[in-house]
Amino acid sequence: MATTHEIKASARNDEGKGASRRLRHTGVVPAVVYGAGQAPQSIQIEHNTILLAAKHEWFFSSVLDLNVDGKVQKVLVRDWQKHPYKLQMLHMDFQRVDENAALRVNVPVHFLNQEKSAAAKTSGVVISHNLTEVEVSCLPKDLPEFIELDLADLKPGDIVHLSQLKLPKGVEIVALHLGADHDTAVVTANTVKEEVDETPAEGEAAPAPEAPKK
């Protein structure tokens, strides 16, 4: 089971852009909680709380315990608005989670032991991480914070597909239900051939063209 992460918030009554601006000026982020058949609720969170949490990937991919005035509800971050150039979160949307219903979430992939692989130790091989996160489906209690991919055995020319990821019990990759064509490459280890520059160096004569055949 994933680690529990609690975010503290409080209810707010003021609505509208003007009210949101006033909150931001006092170091508070306006937010909304919706879903699970309940009415949307306007809340506010200390900006430093959001800023610190947003530094961790779990904030955007894990089920959170949102504590609103002492009442805890399970939620996911579904949308957020950041200032275009300031280190400031402007607004957050949280979706309530039904603990008995499967959810779909993008989960980050952690790549392990790549530097120990034969592919990494072979000259001219480029290892590409084509996907850094995957969409999974599972019950909230089974949602992993990340999926690990061990690349210790990666060899030149290898391709690691979605179907080769090792998933926790109860977790499925959404794309694989769409057919074999969606079994995307997660990692590739391609050998790059060095191109030979046939342009003559400065001071060298270009090779004479071949005489036409009779």
Side-chain angles (χ1 to χ4, degrees), residues 72-86:
V72 177
Q73 48 193 320
K74 300 286 185 180
V75 300
L76 287 169
V77 174
R78 281 308 194 192
D79 195 16
W80 61 92
Q81 298 174 18
K82 297 175 67 176
H83 194 280
Y85 57 87
K86 293 181 181 179

Side-chain angles (χ1 to χ4, degrees), residues 12 14 18-30 43-44:
R12 63 183 172 96
D14 291 342
S20 294
R21 281 196 296 268
R22 288 192 294 272
L23 286 175
R24 296 186 191 107
H25 288 157
T26 62
V28 176
V29 181
I43 63 171
Q44 59 189 37

Side-chain angles (χ1 to χ4, degrees), residues 55-194:
K55 293 181 179 180
H56 303 278
E57 62 184 10
W58 54 255
F59 182 65
F60 300 100
S61 60
S62 300
V63 174
L64 309 174
D65 281 351
L66 184 64
N67 186 332
V68 182
D69 297 326
K71 182 180 179 181
V72 177
Q73 48 193 320
K74 300 286 185 180
V75 300
L76 287 169
V77 174
R78 281 308 194 192
D79 195 16
W80 61 92
Q81 298 174 18
K82 297 175 67 176
H83 194 280
Y85 57 87
K86 293 181 181 179
L87 190 62
Q88 182 183 13
M89 195 72 77
L90 301 178
H91 190 272
M92 302 288 303
D93 282 350
F94 297 93
Q95 181 182 0
R96 297 185 187 96
V97 169
D98 182 347
E99 296 189 69
N100 297 313
L103 47 78
R104 291 168 59 160
V105 181
N106 287 329
V107 174
V109 179
H110 287 186
F111 303 95
L112 307 179
N113 300 318
Q114 176 175 304
E115 69 284 353
K116 299 178 181 179
S117 69
K121 296 177 181 178
T122 302
S123 177
V125 173
V126 175
I127 300 174
S128 300
H129 298 169
N130 303 307
L131 297 176
T132 57
E133 62 180 21
V134 295
E135 186 181 24
V136 301
S137 174
C138 62
L139 290 174
K141 68 180 182 65
D142 297 323
L143 180 64
E145 289 186 8
F146 53 83
I147 294 172
E148 293 183 340
L149 176 56
D150 193 340
L151 298 176
D153 296 328
L154 190 71
K155 301 182 294 298
D158 279 355
I159 302 176
V160 182
H161 291 88
L162 282 174
S163 58
Q164 295 172 267
L165 295 178
K166 294 182 179 179
L167 304 173
K169 184 178 179 181
V171 179
E172 299 178 339
I173 294 177
V174 174
L176 296 181
H177 289 283
L178 302 176
D181 291 343
H182 294 268
D183 192 7
T184 308
V186 181
V187 174
T188 54
N190 295 321
T191 301
V192 178
K193 295 183 179 179
E194 184 177 352

